[in-house]
Each structure stands twice: as C-alpha cells, then as structure tokens.
Amino acid sequence: MDFDHAIRERGFRRWYERQLIESHLWLVTGFLSLVMMGVALEVVEYRESLDGKIALMAVGGGGGALCFYAWRRFSHQLGLAEHIAAQATCPGCRVYARLELLRAKDDAGFASGRAADVRCRACGQTWTIG
Ligand SMILES: [Zn+2]
C-alpha cells in the first residue's frame, strides 16, 4: 500500500507510528534469524555425510537470505518513514503532522515514487510531500 493511501485511511501520526513498529519488527526478525542460523550451524553434523552438508547449506543459505531480506525491509521502511516525516512540518506555521491529504500521484522525482499534496489543518497552507 502506498503511503498516501495509508495516510488517507489512518492519518499521518498513526501511519508513522505503524511504520516504526513494522520496521522494527523486521529488525528483530533479521536479528533472530541471524541468531537461529548461528545456533543451527553449531548443531548440524556436516562433516560425516552428504545430508549434513546439504542441511548446512540450506540452513546457512535460508537464514542468511532471511536476515538479508529483513535488513533490507527494515532499512527501506524506516528510511522512507523518516524521509516523509521530515516533510510533515507545515512551512507556514511550523506545526508538525497536522495535515490532511488532498491528492496524490505517481512521481519518480520523489523518494517514495509518489507525490502527495497535503494541507495544514492549522493554517490551511498546502505543500507536497513524497
Ligand atoms: Zn500550518
């Protein structure tokens, strides 16, 4: 779901809070997969048999892939949330996160790939985030 759809449904603060929670859950997932991969590699008997070597490769590859994927999700989601949150201050009255979404469209010039026009609920100033 694009950030503008989520902001329209839940509001900016709830969207931002959810992004922080989800991204940190990905961080925990990556850390746990790294720990579990290490534990599994310690207990696999791989020197005596081909099955052990295959299990070692599966555990190492699967755990490494999950850790890498979780790290990428964490860093992308948190980075995007912080990037958009940095634009949530009204340029007119400096109020933070009191905005309503007016319209949004695809725009490759923005980091999120979307440009959303928003209006300040305090003073009515409009600007674009994305
Ligand atoms: Zn304002």
Side-chain angles (χ1 to χ4, degrees):
M1 178 185 290
D2 294 321
F3 79 92
D4 52 288
H5 292 127
I7 289 173
R8 190 183 312 268
E9 283 181 13
R10 299 184 197 111
F12 177 81
R13 289 178 188 262
R14 287 183 186 234
W15 169 82
Y16 183 59
E17 177 184 78
R18 188 174 213 142
Q19 294 303 301
L20 295 181
I21 291 169
E22 285 180 12
S23 65
H24 282 85
L25 286 176
W26 278 112
L27 178 65
V28 170
T29 300
F31 181 72
L32 289 177
S33 69
L34 186 65
V35 169
M36 295 306 292
M37 183 179 69
V39 168
L41 292 177
E42 283 293 318
V43 299
V44 169
E45 297 288 333
Y46 64 91
R47 291 196 175 104
E48 290 94 31
S49 68
L50 180 62
D51 290 344
K53 290 178 182 172
I54 291 172
L56 178 69
M57 289 173 50
V59 168
L66 179 60
C67 184
F68 179 73
Y69 178 75
W71 176 256
R72 297 252 324 171
R73 286 289 308 257
F74 163 72
S75 59
H76 175 74
Q77 194 166 9
L78 184 62
L80 183 61
E82 292 297 325
H83 178 74
I84 291 174
Q87 304 170 51
T89 301
C90 172
C93 66
R94 311 301 300 163
V95 168
Y96 178 72
R98 285 197 60 203
L99 51 91
E100 67 176 308
L101 194 97
L102 300 176
R103 62 195 148 276
K105 64 181 180 186
D106 291 332
D107 190 332
F110 286 83
S112 67
R114 302 274 295 168
D117 294 332
V118 295
R119 179 175 36 224
C120 177
R121 289 190 174 152
C123 72
Q125 171 89 30
T126 60
W127 73 101
T128 304
I129 62 173

